[in-house]
Amino acid sequence: MSDTLRPIETAAPVDLDKPPLHLVPELPADPAGDLPLVPAWTRNSDGRKAAARRAARRVRRTGRRWISRQRTDRGHAAQIRRGTRRTHEWVVGFQGVNVQAAAHQAHLATREARDAARRARYTIMPGQRDKARQAADRAQTQAMAAVQLHEQARRKVRNGRILRGALAYGAPLVADTAAAVEFGGLGLAGGLFATLSAAAWIGRKPLTAEVWDHERRTIGDGDAMTEPMLNRAYQDAKVIGGDQELTLVTPCMLAADGKAWTAVFDLPSGMPTKKALNAKEAIAGALGVAVQQLHQSRGDREGRIHLRVSLSLPFTGKPVQGPLLAMARADLWQAIPMGVNLRGESVWTLWVERSGLFGGEPGSGKSAAANDLLLAAALDPTVRLYLADGKAGADITPYEPIAAMFDTDGDPEKLLEILRHIWNVEIPQRRTLAKEHGSRKLTAQMAARDPRVCLAVLLVDEWSSYGAAAEKKTRDELERLLRLIVQQGRALGIITLAATQKPDSDSVPTGIRDILSIRWAMRCLTPQASDTILGQGYASAGHNAQDILKSQRGVGIYMDGEGAEPDLTLSYYYDDDEVELILDRAYELRAEAGTLPGSGPTMADQLRDRGTDGKILAALVDEFTAHGEAVDWLPGSILLTAVKAAGLDVTPERLAALVVRPEADKKRTWEGSRVSGYARDLVLDTATQHLDRT
């Protein structure tokens, strides 16, 4: 105990309720009461010695830790070395696949030129010698061009290195020199210290890829994808053997959007691509990610894999708003937007001379995918819409005001009526137009010159519902007509889209399904259902719609027939208000263009304007007016029946000879009795001139 606190002996009585004054420490005045409470013993010599010992102990421990740290990869010397190396690697950069490819082409071209020159030198025959010399000259020219391309690529890389080197090395050198000139040795020391500190900050964290260990870290653990990790994953998945390795064509790197790791590599020689595609689940497990995060696709040759590993489950966020909202009108003769792929790129599809099959379980987003085509067709005022919904839902109800024909009741007889109209009216009329233009098919160039040339879209949703509700005879007729329309209407501008919730041979007959070129497989319950949409064998090749999660609505495996491989694609989404907004715009466009159903003068009005009356007028008016609207084309058999019913004795040959274009149209006639039909303008030009006299 300190002398200042030792009690003093006294004979005076002690008040137990109040301690002696010499035992109460003297404290400084603290009116506000906010000063820290400092024990009195810390202010004497013993307290100061104890504080000094604690400080010395902390310094020793800190020094020991610093010394121990210098022996690890986190030491300051290691950080400076690592930072310097990273800076140098950034300056040098990656030479690039284009430079390597140019070097390879230059090497091949040079070798070919050398071989050609050798052949020309040892060729004996005069004629062959001239050819060999010409081939050698061409090879030499190609070699020089390839060398120039390689040199240009190298020069581009070299210029980038010079710019980065000036920034990385030049700036510190200038700063250190200026400090040395201004402040002498002290300034030089400060500049070097700042430069080394910057290098240590750049190399402050070691990369896991620099020192490979056996902790089995994966992408799912937050690690970067590396070549050793890929080799280990494909070895664990039994795709390659333990003594085999993948050959990387591109390094493992983050995608441009920063949402996935990507790499392109070749499998060992002789190994088929299908072996890797079939091991999707095992590879995903080895990489520590969900199956939905792993996407493999075939490269441009057998054995090459394009790998993409998403950092999170793709397509699980908000729906992507479609671009049709911002489009004043659309042109279905051109490609239209259908959705977004894994790389964030918009998928555009040309539907001319194509047909499609969309399938998936209820709630998978099939109707939203079909809307991408229907809304684009609606915004083209020249396109005719024929819509049928076998499940009697409300998906196509908003399209009724602009549809040429539709069925929202799931009535097989109504669908049969639509198909018969397309087969008996639309297709013959379009075939006649193609003949007039001297072509086998209708094209966008014809549509630009002739307003009669246009596209038509036929949607049949839930074919199985129609088949289940129809009698066998009606069902067979429906299947026959739909198959004929898909086969022959493709070249005549009729786009057919079949959609189903239960992908099997009953929902869409096999004979029809096999000729539908565009496929979109939404979420399915079985691999067999996925193969029903995409084609046999795609599920086993890694394209299995069963892997799509329920949270990924509107996502499907899309195959437009143009790409080498199907691609996982998210369809654009339009809610009810947006659909109504687009269809209001479509209605205005069609009203302005005069292409709304029932718009324009009827055939009866046009015949009356020409002064035709009597039996011919009655027959033509009855047959050239269908469903309350004008018909531009009528089959010859129907017209002939109507004329005979009006009491006129006209043979097919006579009727064909009578329907002749005016002299201004080069007087084209229809020869023979095999006349499939007559265009309205042909009949209008000749009815009053010939049929009255007959």
Side-chain angles (χ1 to χ4, degrees):
M1 182 178 294
S2 177
D3 296 336
T4 58
L5 298 180
R6 184 177 296 112
I8 301 176
E9 297 181 1
T10 177
V14 178
D15 189 356
L16 298 179
D17 296 332
K18 180 182 295 183
L21 294 177
H22 60 274
L23 295 180
V24 179
E26 296 181 2
L27 298 177
D30 185 13
D34 55 358
L35 292 179
L37 179 61
V38 180
W41 67 270
T42 60
R43 293 178 295 180
N44 57 24
S45 59
D46 293 339
R48 284 189 288 271
K49 291 179 182 179
R53 287 194 297 270
R54 289 196 303 271
R57 188 164 53 250
R58 284 195 298 268
V59 170
R60 287 196 303 272
R61 291 177 178 176
T62 301
R64 291 170 183 171
R65 285 196 298 267
W66 186 85
I67 294 174
S68 300
R69 178 182 177 183
Q70 301 314 305
R71 295 194 294 265
T72 68
D73 58 355
R74 294 184 177 273
H76 288 88
Q79 290 183 15
I80 293 173
R81 289 194 302 270
R82 194 159 50 240
T84 304
R85 185 176 71 253
R86 290 176 182 175
T87 303
H88 179 70
E89 290 174 352
W90 177 73
V91 171
V92 174
F94 181 69
Q95 190 177 28
V97 177
N98 56 342
V99 179
Q100 297 177 7
H104 182 63
Q105 293 297 328
H107 172 71
L108 294 180
T110 304
R111 187 174 61 184
E112 179 63 25
R114 185 175 61 251
D115 294 343
R118 185 182 298 110
R119 287 193 298 269
R121 187 165 54 252
Y122 292 104
T123 301
I124 299 176
M125 301 299 294
Q128 297 294 330
R129 178 180 298 175
D130 294 339
K131 294 182 179 179
R133 287 177 178 175
Q134 294 175 2
D137 293 340
R138 288 195 300 270
Q140 181 66 21
T141 303
Q142 295 175 358
M144 293 176 61
V147 171
Q148 291 177 358
L149 290 176
H150 179 221
E151 184 59 30
Q152 291 175 2
R154 290 185 59 187
R155 189 182 303 113
K156 184 177 180 181
V157 173
R158 185 165 57 248
N159 293 339
R161 289 175 178 173
I162 293 174
L163 179 61
R164 293 191 296 270
L167 180 62
Y169 302 140
L173 180 61
V174 171
D176 293 348
T177 303
V181 172
E182 183 69 22
F183 302 103
L186 184 61
L188 179 60
L192 292 176
F193 178 77
T195 302
L196 295 177
S197 298
W201 183 83
I202 294 174
R204 65 192 184 281
K205 291 183 180 180
L207 294 177
T208 56
E210 294 180 356
V211 181
W212 176 253
D213 54 22
H214 298 282
E215 295 180 1
R216 297 295 186 180
R217 300 280 298 178
T218 63
I219 295 178
D221 299 322
D223 285 17
M225 187 170 71
T226 61
E227 182 176 357
M229 182 189 296
L230 274 185
N231 284 316
R232 187 256 305 166
Y234 279 78
Q235 289 170 359
D236 291 348
K238 308 301 181 185
V239 177
I240 61 177
D243 57 343
Q244 294 177 316
E245 291 186 351
L246 306 173
T247 303
L248 263 68
V249 180
T250 65
C252 299
M253 54 187 176
L254 278 174
D257 56 7
K259 297 181 179 180
W261 289 100
T262 62
V264 180
F265 55 85
D266 289 334
L267 297 172
S269 178
M271 184 172 295
T273 308
K274 188 177 181 180
K275 185 174 182 181
L277 299 179
N278 290 341
K280 183 177 181 180
E281 293 82 0
I283 297 172
L287 293 175
V289 297
V291 175
Q292 292 76 16
Q293 294 176 244
L294 180 71
H295 183 72
Q296 299 179 110
S297 60
R298 295 178 181 270
D300 52 359
R301 65 184 189 185
E302 187 65 25
R304 178 161 294 180
I305 299 291
H306 290 256
L307 175 67
R308 179 184 175 92
V309 184
S310 300
L311 299 179
S312 59
L313 283 175
F315 303 140
T316 53
K318 295 181 179 179
V320 179
Q321 190 178 65
L324 292 178
L325 285 171
M327 296 173 61
R329 61 179 296 165
D331 183 5
L332 206 59
W333 291 100
Q334 306 298 325
I336 61 172
M338 298 297 297
V340 179
N341 60 19
L342 276 172
R343 295 170 294 281
E345 303 166 342
S346 182
V347 177
W348 292 68
T349 300
L350 181 63
W351 281 86
V352 179
E353 298 188 41
R354 312 290 289 280
S355 54
L357 171 63
F358 293 177
E361 68 175 47
S364 60
K366 173 179 54 64
S367 299
N371 266 344
D372 292 326
L373 171 61
L374 294 182
L375 290 175
L379 286 178
D380 187 340
T382 64
V383 176
R384 299 170 186 169
L385 296 176
Y386 296 93
L387 311 177
D389 188 357
K391 62 181 183 296
D395 293 336
I396 65 173
T397 301
Y399 296 88
E400 292 182 3
I402 61 174
M405 299 179 70
F406 60 87
D407 170 43
T408 56
D409 300 326
D411 187 354
E413 295 298 329
K414 289 185 179 180
L415 176 59
L416 184 60
E417 183 181 358
I418 294 174
L419 297 182
R420 281 176 174 170
H421 174 79
I422 296 176
W423 176 246
N424 295 327
V425 178
E426 279 280 355
I427 288 183
Q429 175 190 7
R430 293 168 180 272
R431 191 179 292 117
T432 301
L433 286 175
K435 290 180 180 179
E436 290 183 15
H437 287 273
S439 175
R440 295 180 295 104
K441 60 183 181 180
L442 302 181
T443 63
Q445 292 75 16
M446 297 179 189
R449 300 191 306 266
D450 190 345
R452 297 176 300 167
V453 178
C454 64
L455 295 173
V457 173
L458 168 63
L459 169 67
V460 181
D461 195 356
E462 289 305 321
W463 175 272
S464 59
S465 299
Y466 282 111
E471 297 180 355
K472 185 180 185 306
K473 182 178 180 181
T474 302
R475 183 167 59 251
D476 293 342
E477 180 67 7
L478 289 173
E479 183 176 342
R480 183 186 73 86
L481 289 175
L482 184 59
R483 183 185 296 109
L484 290 173
I485 291 171
V486 174
Q487 289 174 337
Q488 301 187 25
R490 180 184 62 84
L492 299 175
I494 298 179
I495 301 169
T496 304
L497 174 60
T500 177
Q501 294 180 353
K502 185 176 179 295
D504 55 23
S505 58
D506 295 331
S507 59
V508 180
T510 305
I512 299 174
R513 187 176 66 245
D514 292 343
I515 57 178
L516 299 174
S517 55
I518 297 177
R519 311 291 182 90
W520 204 341
M522 302 293 177
R523 184 178 66 252
C524 297
L525 296 179
T526 62
Q528 292 75 19
S530 179
D531 276 350
T532 300
I533 303 172
L534 297 177
Q536 189 63 35
Y538 276 96
S540 60
H543 305 290
N544 186 2
Q546 187 186 24
D547 295 336
I548 300 174
L549 301 176
K550 288 188 175 182
S551 58
Q552 296 175 307
R553 293 197 61 181
V555 178
I557 302 175
Y558 188 63
M559 181 172 63
D560 60 3
E562 297 181 355
E565 285 289 302
D567 202 1
L568 198 66
T569 304
L570 171 65
S571 66
Y572 288 119
Y573 176 74
Y574 303 91
D575 59 29
D576 294 343
D577 294 336
E578 293 169 344
V579 170
E580 183 179 357
L581 180 63
I582 294 175
L583 292 181
D584 288 343
R585 190 187 314 150
Y587 189 91
E588 295 174 359
L589 290 173
R590 291 170 182 265
E592 181 180 352
T595 55
L596 283 174
S599 61
T602 63
M603 174 63 69
D605 296 333
Q606 297 185 42
L607 288 176
R608 290 190 183 95
D609 293 340
R610 288 179 171 269
T612 306
D613 55 7
K615 295 179 180 179
I616 296 297
L617 174 61
L620 296 181
V621 168
D622 290 342
E623 296 303 323
F624 273 87
T625 304
H627 306 289
E629 58 184 270
V631 176
D632 294 331
W633 190 95
L634 195 70
S637 59
I638 296 179
L639 180 59
L640 186 64
T641 301
V643 173
K644 288 184 177 181
L648 300 177
D649 186 13
V650 180
T651 63
E653 293 78 8
R654 178 58 178 164
L655 184 61
L658 289 175
V659 182
V660 181
R661 281 192 176 278
E663 187 66 26
D665 288 343
K666 299 183 179 180
K667 212 168 187 177
R668 179 176 177 180
T669 60
W670 296 87
E671 300 177 356
S673 59
R674 293 187 177 181
V675 181
S676 59
Y678 300 92
R680 179 176 59 187
D681 58 346
L682 292 177
V683 178
L684 290 178
D685 289 337
T686 59
T688 57
Q689 301 175 19
H690 299 289
L691 294 183
D692 290 340
R693 305 167 191 169
T694 306

